[in-house]
Amino acid sequence: MNARTLNPESNFIEREPYYEAVGSEISIFEAAYANRLPVLLKGPTGCGKTRFMEYMAWRLKRPLITVSCHDDLTASDLVGRYLVKGGETVWVDGPLARAVRAGAICYLDEIVEARKDTMVVIHPLADDRRALPMEKLGVIVEANADFCLAISYNPGYQSVLKDLKQSTRQRFVALEFDYPNASLEAKIVAAESGVDAALAERLVKFAQMTRNLKGSGLEEGASTRLLIHAGKLIAKGVPPVIACQCAIAQAITDDAEMLAAVQELSSSLF
């Protein structure tokens, strides 16, 4: 039996990602990292959680291994499994094991979407043990001193069946994210999409209108990410109303009446 570990060196972020701090999240994350404390990011879709993790990985000069969690994600997907290759059985580390061994930052995005057995795996990594049980190998791997565990979820989408238990939550330092204030969000949209400041401000105003509809027909309003998508289309010559329809309205709802209402909002601004 041979063991194979994928090289996490390819996960280093070489260029500084664009990120605008909204509060003290950078200093808090750095303090948590220095104390080997795991971090929980809470906030709505598209508000900058993933970009923040990319920025912190670059800032701390650590490789970043990101896992987008889903209903079929199992503990074995994270830790690793035996595979038959070329007539022999080899062990292949999963992304969490790779991060633990290499001292990388492992970011589990939307952790509550994963199957419940994944929580059993991350608990010993998220407390003083900082260890990863690898039952199939019969070993417990102590985390590299540089290893960092970060998870995220969107409280607005969670139900009783998909929520973080207190036994999990109370292992983490929590950072709450939200959309930036209007002026900062316009600055981000302009910088990321290439549109001018005036148009970025109108996109942000449009987003705020859609966010006011949350709970009144929309599950979520337009995120900063969607504004950037629309801005990029506009920067390439797509008319603003059409850009808002394709990049924002169609992304946040399929309901015909709500689509019409959102389109009216964009038409009133562009």
Side-chain angles (χ1 to χ4, degrees):
M1 185 272 291
N2 293 322
R4 186 166 70 93
T5 303
L6 297 177
N7 184 7
E9 296 298 316
S10 60
N11 295 88
F12 272 100
I13 296 175
E14 302 293 341
R15 295 183 180 180
E16 178 180 359
Y18 175 75
Y19 181 76
E20 293 284 352
V22 177
S24 55
E25 66 271 22
I26 293 174
S27 61
I28 293 173
F29 191 99
E30 287 180 330
Y33 179 78
N35 286 282
R36 300 181 181 179
L37 299 174
V39 179
L40 163 64
L41 312 184
K42 301 192 298 181
T45 299
C47 69
K49 299 188 297 294
T50 300
R51 177 61 63 86
F52 172 72
M53 289 305 307
E54 293 171 350
Y55 176 77
M56 293 310 302
W58 171 83
R59 187 179 176 95
L60 295 169
K61 297 180 173 56
R62 300 311 308 155
L64 175 65
I65 298 176
T66 299
V67 179
S68 297
C69 299
H70 52 80
D71 290 341
D72 294 326
L73 185 76
T74 66
S76 293
D77 293 325
L78 290 177
V79 176
R81 53 169 51 92
Y82 286 109
L83 296 176
V84 177
K85 292 192 175 184
E88 63 174 344
T89 301
V90 297
W91 173 265
V92 178
D93 276 347
L96 183 58
R98 290 166 52 204
V100 166
R101 295 185 195 273
I105 297 173
C106 186
Y107 175 47
L108 305 179
D109 189 20
E110 296 296 345
I111 183 67
V112 295
E113 297 298 330
R115 284 170 44 168
K116 296 301 181 184
D117 63 339
T118 60
M119 297 301 175
V120 178
V121 171
I122 70 171
H123 276 186
L125 280 171
D127 57 31
D128 291 341
R129 289 171 288 179
R130 283 177 57 86
L132 177 64
M134 302 182 76
E135 295 181 359
K136 292 181 180 178
L137 288 179
V139 300
I140 296 176
V141 180
E142 291 188 7
N144 183 298
D146 293 325
F147 168 75
C148 175
L149 177 64
I151 65 176
S152 74
Y153 81 111
N154 178 356
Y157 279 158
Q158 307 319 318
S159 65
V160 174
L161 297 176
K162 287 190 173 183
D163 198 3
L164 282 182
K165 293 181 179 180
Q166 287 295 326
S167 59
T168 301
R169 296 166 69 102
Q170 293 196 25
R171 283 173 158 83
F172 289 81
V173 172
L175 291 174
E176 188 166 5
F177 285 72
D178 204 345
Y179 302 121
N181 62 54
S183 60
L184 181 56
E185 189 167 25
K187 178 182 178 182
I188 293 169
V189 172
E192 289 281 86
S193 68
V195 299
D196 60 41
L199 203 146
E201 289 174 2
R202 279 188 283 168
L203 283 170
V204 170
K205 187 174 182 180
F206 172 53
Q208 291 174 331
M209 290 176 173
T210 67
R211 292 166 193 168
N212 289 335
L213 294 174
K214 183 177 178 179
S216 300
L218 287 180
E219 288 188 2
E220 288 280 351
S223 67
T224 306
R225 178 191 295 137
L226 293 184
L227 298 186
I228 293 169
H229 290 175
K232 286 181 176 180
L233 294 180
I234 294 168
K236 290 298 183 181
V238 177
V241 171
I242 296 176
C244 287
Q245 178 182 7
C246 297
I248 298 176
Q250 295 286 351
I252 61 177
T253 183
D254 291 321
D255 181 81
E257 291 185 4
M258 188 54 62
L259 276 171
V262 173
Q263 280 302 105
E264 278 189 34
L265 295 178
S266 65
S267 298
S268 69
L269 291 171
F270 299 103

